[in-house]
Amino acid sequence: MSAVAAALGAAITAVGVVSVAIARTWPGSTGRRRAGTPVLVSVEAVEALEKTAALCTTEGRITVHARTRVTRELVCLDCRNPSLDLPLPAHIREEAS
């Protein structure tokens, strides 16, 4: 191995060691260990799905459906198939429950 290659390898190693030392002492929090504990705003459960009763076209009966956030279509929670029907009126929903 030539002296030039050895000097170049030593220089690259020294730059790596110095950059790691600087990165470890750099101010500011990085990573989950130094981030601290999260502050809980609310401990109440939140219903994530907008649920409604609708006619399932696959099963042919009234089931509970959830509205998707992206396409805003109704998906049956029993069979997981999308439903093309509109939600049922409130008085029919009460009778179905």
Side-chain angles (χ1 to χ4, degrees):
M1 184 159 153
S2 70
V4 175
L8 184 62
I12 291 173
T13 304
V15 167
V17 169
V18 170
S19 64
V20 167
I22 290 173
R24 289 176 73 70
T25 59
W26 196 263
S29 63
T30 58
R32 293 187 62 84
R33 291 179 297 175
R34 296 180 231 149
T37 58
V39 178
L40 296 176
V41 176
S42 175
V43 293
E44 297 177 8
V46 177
E47 187 64 36
L49 297 176
E50 179 184 332
K51 295 180 183 176
T52 185
L55 178 65
C56 179
T57 55
T58 305
E59 295 187 9
R61 62 183 175 95
I62 297 173
T63 58
V64 178
H65 284 64
R67 187 169 301 278
T68 61
R69 292 182 182 263
V70 178
T71 60
R72 304 299 297 167
E73 71 177 343
L74 290 173
V75 176
C76 178
L77 293 179
D78 290 343
C79 65
R80 305 287 190 219
N81 288 323
S83 179
L84 303 176
D85 295 342
L86 297 174
L88 297 173
H91 67 281
I92 297 177
R93 260 185 271 152
E94 293 171 0
E95 293 172 7
S97 301

